């Protein structure tokens, strides 16, 4: 059942709340500005005021936001893989992400200033790029997927060679399977005296993951995040897997992506880290991010540098959002600023309705937009 508060309705018509309450009374409906009325009642009020009503449906919103699907194949260009690190607690996810970060040739040149913005990209000496989601843990992965954001191309499963497969390892395997993301196993802590990589490979068999060494197709790499051993080999395997996936996107279109992280910062306002999935985001673009909208005031990359644009698979901090979206929210550029605002308002209303009990009767699949 969809509805609108009397106050919201008054705002959308640019009428006074008290006048709307009076009009409702005339129609035999007693409601205060904070109360909710159903869509049909609202329609009556709108016509009483002599306004026109336009209804926006969920599918209109989706149509406006999701446009890359229409892109012809020939416009697609190769893009870097997006990688998520998962595994049991203390097996070395954070250590591995930190170690991989140091393999970036660009941040080395820039003096090694790194920002923790929820994702980072490394440029390898050969010129290839890999994007890592810097939010290890299954919650972040699940939260994003629940919001419909399927951003991960490849899962790195970290298993400590001295500890083997543990409950959260199994959980991670299941998450990767549900998301249909290929798994590369990083057998970590191989520097430790008790390390037994082959035991890990044997344990993987119980979960239908057959290592290449055992005649299967699962790539395993023996690493040490602590000593930095075999990180280049792990990256090589990521690139190999990425090649098989034929990851592509069209950079020459309006940007679409997903919010990886968002927060309100003193002096900067709302800041969201967005992973661009299609197109190129530019300073000045107007956009919708979940139930928020904005105009890009500045773009900051993972090395803290101001940039003018960000293409597919690039994580970027976006300044200029009107509110703070949530991790996993969709992000899409739309040329029409009014449309951005309209979609954000529509979604905010939907959120409010979901969180407050709706007193009014009637069901309606559409909602009011411009009046
Ligand atoms: P997470 O919980 O999976 O993020 O694990 P951490 O990265 O926090 O690592 C847990 C502990 O294992 C820390 O004390 C790390 O120093 C240690 N550790 C991580 N990687 C290695 C490794 O390759 N070798 C050794 N010996 N210790 C490691
Ligand atoms: Mg950690």
């Amino acid at each position: 059942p969809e509805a609108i508060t009397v106050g919201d309705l008054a705002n959308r018509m640019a009428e006074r709340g008290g006048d709307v309450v009076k009009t409702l009374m005339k129609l035999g409906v007693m409601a205060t500005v904070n109360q909710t009325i159903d869509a049909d009642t609202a329609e009556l009020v709108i016509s009483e005021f002599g306004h026109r009503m336009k209804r926006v449906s969920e599918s209109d919103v989706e149509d406006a936001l999701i446009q890359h699907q229409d892109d012809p194949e020939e416009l697609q260009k190769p893009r870097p893989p997006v990688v998520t690190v998962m595994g049991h607690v203390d097996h070395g996810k954070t250590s591995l992400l930190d170690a991989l970060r140091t393999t970036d040739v660009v941040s080395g040149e820039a003096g090694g200033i790194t920002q923790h913005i929820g994702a980072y990209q490394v440029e390898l000496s050969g010129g290839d790029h890999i994007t890592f989601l810097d939010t290890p843990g299954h919650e972040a992965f699940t939260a994003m997927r629940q919001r419909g954001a399927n951003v991960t191309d490849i899962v790195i499963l970290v298993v400590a060679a001295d500890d083997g497969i543990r409950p959260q390892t199994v959980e991670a395997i299941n998450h990767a399977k549900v998301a249909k993301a290929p798994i590369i196993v990083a057998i970590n802590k191989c520097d430790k005296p008790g390390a037994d990589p082959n035991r890990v490979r044997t344990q993987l068999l119980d979960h239908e993951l057959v290592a290449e060494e055992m005649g299967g197709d699962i790539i395993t790499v023996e690493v040490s995040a602590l000593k930095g051993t075999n990180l280049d080999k792990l990256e090589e395997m990521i690139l190999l897997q990425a090649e098989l996936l034929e990851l592509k996107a069209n950079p020459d279109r309006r940007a679409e992506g997903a919010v990886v992280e968002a927060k309100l910062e003193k002096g900067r306002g709302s800041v969201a880290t967005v992973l661009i999935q299609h197109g190129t985001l530019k300073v000045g673009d107007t956009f919708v991010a979940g139930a928020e909208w904005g105009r890009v005031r500045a773009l900051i990359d993972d090395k803290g540098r101001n940039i003018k644009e960000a293409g597919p698979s690039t994580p970027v901090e976006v300044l200029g959002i009107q509110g703070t979206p949530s991790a996993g929210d969709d992000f899409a550029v739309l040329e029409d600023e009014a449309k951005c605002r309209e979609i954000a308002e529509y979604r905010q209303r939907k959120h409010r309705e979901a969180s407050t009990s709706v007193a009014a009767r009637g069901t309606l699949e559409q909602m009011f937009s411009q009046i």
Side-chain angles (χ1 to χ4, degrees):
E2 296 196 48
I4 187 167
T5 69
V6 174
D8 276 346
L9 180 60
N11 277 339
R12 297 201 68 78
M13 295 191 296
E15 299 285 353
R16 285 213 300 262
D19 292 341
V20 176
V21 171
K22 275 186 218 153
T23 304
L24 278 165
M25 262 195 243
K26 258 198 336 197
L27 296 169
V29 178
M30 301 305 219
T32 67
V33 278
N34 296 321
Q35 279 179 324
T36 308
I37 55 171
D38 65 66
D40 292 335
T41 308
E43 191 169 358
L44 281 175
V45 172
I46 291 159
S47 63
E48 281 288 311
F49 277 94
H51 291 291
R52 216 163 32 81
M53 189 184 74
K54 194 176 119 203
R55 287 178 172 191
V56 174
S57 73
E58 190 63 41
S59 64
D60 286 341
V61 173
E62 300 313 320
D63 288 351
L65 293 182
I66 302 168
Q67 297 155 332
H68 70 266
Q69 283 158 351
D70 306 332
D71 270 9
E73 188 83 16
E74 61 268 22
L75 295 179
Q76 314 266 333
K77 298 199 177 115
R79 63 168 179 86
V82 179
V83 176
T84 297
V85 171
M86 292 202 276
H88 197 75
V89 66
D90 279 346
H91 279 198
K93 297 179 293 294
T94 305
S95 305
L96 188 62
L97 278 164
D98 288 347
L100 287 163
R101 194 188 263 275
T102 66
T103 64
D104 181 39
V105 292
V106 180
S107 65
E109 286 164 12
I113 311 154
T114 51
Q115 306 273 109
H116 280 274
I117 64 169
Y120 65 86
Q121 194 177 68
V122 294
E123 183 177 322
L124 307 180
S125 49
D128 291 304
H129 295 82
I130 304 175
T131 301
F132 292 96
L133 290 184
D134 198 3
T135 46
H138 311 172
E139 278 117 73
F141 186 80
T142 313
M144 293 204 49
R145 277 189 42 80
Q146 272 168 356
R147 290 175 162 272
N150 211 352
V151 298
T152 301
D153 299 309
I154 297 167
V155 167
I156 301 292
L157 183 71
V158 179
V159 188
D162 62 335
D163 199 26
I165 292 188
R166 301 289 306 276
Q168 286 167 299
T169 319
V170 179
E171 232 177 69
I173 292 170
N174 292 335
H175 283 312
K177 280 182 180 168
V178 171
K180 295 191 171 67
I183 295 173
I184 294 175
V185 183
I187 305 178
N188 192 32
K189 306 199 187 186
C190 284
D191 59 285
K192 283 186 120 180
D196 188 353
N198 278 329
R199 186 173 71 112
V200 173
R201 293 191 181 96
T202 308
Q203 289 176 335
L204 286 170
L205 292 174
D206 294 339
H207 306 279
E208 290 93 42
L209 299 178
V210 186
E212 280 184 326
E213 288 83 349
M214 304 179 102
D217 59 356
I218 295 293
I219 301 167
T220 63
V221 186
E222 297 177 18
V223 301
S224 166
L226 194 74
K227 299 259 195 288
T229 316
N230 268 348
L231 299 181
D232 49 350
K233 182 146 182 246
L234 180 59
E235 288 172 333
E236 199 183 300
M237 292 304 140
I238 292 169
L239 293 174
L240 191 77
Q241 183 63 257
E243 222 174 280
L244 295 174
L245 293 172
E246 292 185 65
L247 304 169
K248 283 181 180 173
N250 173 11
D252 303 311
R253 61 178 328 287
R254 277 173 275 165
E256 283 173 32
V259 175
V260 173
E261 201 176 85
K263 51 189 181 287
L264 190 62
E265 281 184 26
K266 264 210 184 102
R268 297 177 89 203
S270 283
V271 183
T273 298
V274 175
L275 180 73
I276 308 299
Q277 296 177 283
H278 306 274
T280 297
L281 181 64
K282 301 186 178 89
V283 172
D285 281 347
T286 50
F287 61 85
V288 176
E292 308 296 340
W293 71 280
R295 177 186 290 275
V296 180
R297 196 169 73 229
L299 294 172
I300 322 271
D301 74 6
D302 55 342
K303 280 113 197 157
R305 301 175 301 193
N306 260 285
I307 54 174
K308 289 213 166 63
E309 51 179 56
S313 296
T314 308
V316 66
E317 266 195 329
V318 178
L319 274 69
I321 316 174
Q322 299 296 314
T324 312
S326 307
D329 275 346
D330 57 0
F331 180 97
V333 168
L334 289 178
E335 269 154 32
D336 183 355
E337 182 179 317
K339 190 88 191 164
C340 290
R341 193 191 299 249
E342 195 176 285
I343 291 170
E345 285 175 0
Y346 165 78
R347 287 177 161 180
Q348 279 172 19
R349 267 199 310 280
K350 286 202 80 166
H351 289 183
R352 274 202 299 275
E353 282 158 27
S355 59
T356 59
S357 69
V358 178
R361 288 168 290 113
T363 57
L364 181 69
E365 274 175 304
Q366 302 121 314
M367 229 13 248
F368 305 99
S369 150
Q370 233 167 8
I371 295 155

